Amino acid sequence: MKSILYITDLYYEAKGRNYPEEDLYITSQLKEHFNLLICHPQQAIGFVEVADLIIVRNSGPVIYYQEYFNEFLSAVNEGSVAIFNSMDGKADMHGKQYLLELTQKKYPVIPTIDNIEELSTLGSAPHYILKPKLGADSIGMKIVAKSAISQHDLTDMLIQPFVSFVYEASFYYLNGQFQYALYAPDKKKRWELQEFIPNDTDLAFAQKFIAWNNMDWGIQRVDACRLDDSSWLLLELEDLNPFLSLDKLSEVRKKDFMDNFISAIRQQQEFLVSNEED
């Protein structure tokens, strides 16, 4: 049996999400197929060499331990150990600057700027959202009136109009393949989710961002808001350690996801072995 270093913070308190419950479920399934070592994200460096594959799951916002995480990635690269997710994503794993690029490229994303001189390009809105470029989990986010924006320190901050929407939804992908979707019928309760059956138009929207990110492998979550005219705008593209909300899925859909996850891990390991033989 191959060995997996499974990185999670079972003590991180996330609003509306139960990290321990989700990761205990996932590891209970993985242990039937792999040797597992469960490790806190700030103790991972010492165990890199014992693993055939590293899986980063609910490890909490990296901004709390950025220096250690950078050292961890260096150790992974030096040891030539594969990591899941692959660290070649262009979205949230590097902060939220990618929202600027997507705006400039005319993707269906909430318009984003980082220069108050460009505020007129966002159109007219009564309120705006200020987000740290290196923020996570709504840390440092502020909702302010247009007249108050200049009163805030905008260093390393993003500016977005506060968009009126019907509800939020998340599309979950594994190795570029759609797995399931969830939505929050009450927009005031982000994590009270229900299963959502997307149509072809919905999936085409989400797929645009998966294609843009072009990761080698891993789990991604496309967070979006549905507008009054039924169109979508991207909120965020989580490509490092997105929470999966597996507890909101039916048993059948949850099992399907885990079967696919286990198959993806095996395929990854087979790929590594074939490369070593070459």
Side-chain angles (χ1 to χ4, degrees):
M1 297 174 73
K2 295 292 185 179
S3 296
I4 291 176
L5 178 63
Y6 190 97
I7 298 176
T8 179
D9 184 352
L10 298 175
Y11 304 97
Y12 181 71
E13 296 183 3
K15 185 178 180 180
R17 289 151 289 165
N18 191 324
Y19 277 20
E21 181 179 304
E22 178 160 288
D23 280 326
L24 289 174
Y25 169 74
I26 293 175
T27 53
S28 75
Q29 303 301 301
L30 296 184
K31 72 179 179 61
E32 302 300 322
H33 305 273
F34 311 100
N35 292 318
L36 275 183
L37 174 62
I38 301 175
C39 181
H40 188 276
Q42 295 182 59
Q43 296 179 325
I45 293 176
F47 300 101
V48 167
E49 294 183 358
V50 305
D52 297 303
L53 178 67
I54 296 171
I55 295 178
V56 179
R57 280 304 310 128
N58 294 318
S59 56
V62 171
I63 58 173
Y64 288 139
Y65 54 97
Q66 189 67 59
E67 184 176 347
Y68 186 91
F69 188 73
N70 292 341
E71 293 176 2
F72 162 71
L73 292 180
S74 294
V76 169
N77 292 331
E78 290 172 5
S80 299
V81 182
I83 186 168
F84 199 110
N85 291 353
S86 58
M87 296 304 298
D88 56 346
K90 297 180 289 186
D92 264 15
M93 66 172 59
H94 299 293
K96 303 188 185 303
Q97 299 95 323
Y98 69 96
L99 295 171
L100 295 169
E101 177 183 341
L102 291 173
T103 296
Q104 293 164 1
K105 291 186 174 181
K106 308 297 183 183
Y107 276 76
V109 56
I110 292 180
T112 306
I113 61 172
D114 64 352
N115 183 349
I116 196 171
E117 301 299 325
E118 300 174 357
L119 193 62
S120 62
T121 66
L122 299 182
S124 178
H127 292 88
Y128 292 78
I129 297 178
L130 307 182
K131 292 182 178 179
K133 290 182 179 180
L134 295 179
D137 208 11
S138 298
I139 297 168
M141 187 179 77
K142 302 173 184 177
I143 299 176
V144 301
K146 182 177 182 179
S147 60
I149 293 178
S150 60
Q151 300 172 20
H152 293 267
D153 182 0
L154 299 178
T155 305
D156 294 324
M157 298 290 284
L158 299 175
I159 306 171
Q160 296 178 322
F162 187 85
V163 175
S164 176
F165 59 91
V166 181
Y167 56 77
E168 290 183 56
S170 294
F171 302 82
Y172 302 77
Y173 284 76
L174 171 63
N175 286 2
Q177 300 299 311
F178 174 72
Q179 301 296 305
Y180 58 92
L182 297 167
Y183 83 117
D186 185 343
K187 62 183 179 182
K188 296 180 181 179
K189 299 177 180 178
R190 168 69 179 95
W191 297 104
E192 292 190 12
L193 299 167
Q194 298 178 18
E195 289 194 51
F196 175 74
I197 307 300
N199 59 31
D200 290 345
T201 301
D202 301 331
L203 290 177
F205 161 83
Q207 186 63 42
K208 288 180 183 178
F209 299 100
I210 298 299
W212 168 81
N213 207 20
N214 195 32
M215 288 178 62
D216 281 346
W217 59 79
I219 299 170
Q220 299 178 73
R221 192 183 77 213
V222 179
D223 294 338
C225 58
R226 172 87 82 177
L227 305 185
D228 290 333
D229 63 1
S230 293
S231 65
W232 293 99
L233 288 178
L234 180 79
L235 292 167
E236 293 183 0
L237 176 54
E238 297 277 359
D239 61 353
L240 175 61
N241 53 358
F243 188 72
L244 303 176
S245 298
L246 294 177
D247 60 318
K248 307 301 183 183
L249 297 178
S250 67
E251 288 301 316
V252 170
R253 196 172 294 276
K254 185 161 63 172
K255 182 181 183 303
D256 285 345
F257 174 79
M258 285 308 306
D259 287 346
N260 292 340
F261 191 17
I262 290 166
S263 294
I265 293 170
R266 284 180 169 153
Q267 290 169 7
Q268 179 61 29
Q269 292 177 331
E270 290 171 0
F271 172 78
L272 294 173
V273 170
S274 64
N275 276 4
E276 290 174 359
E277 291 175 350
D278 291 343

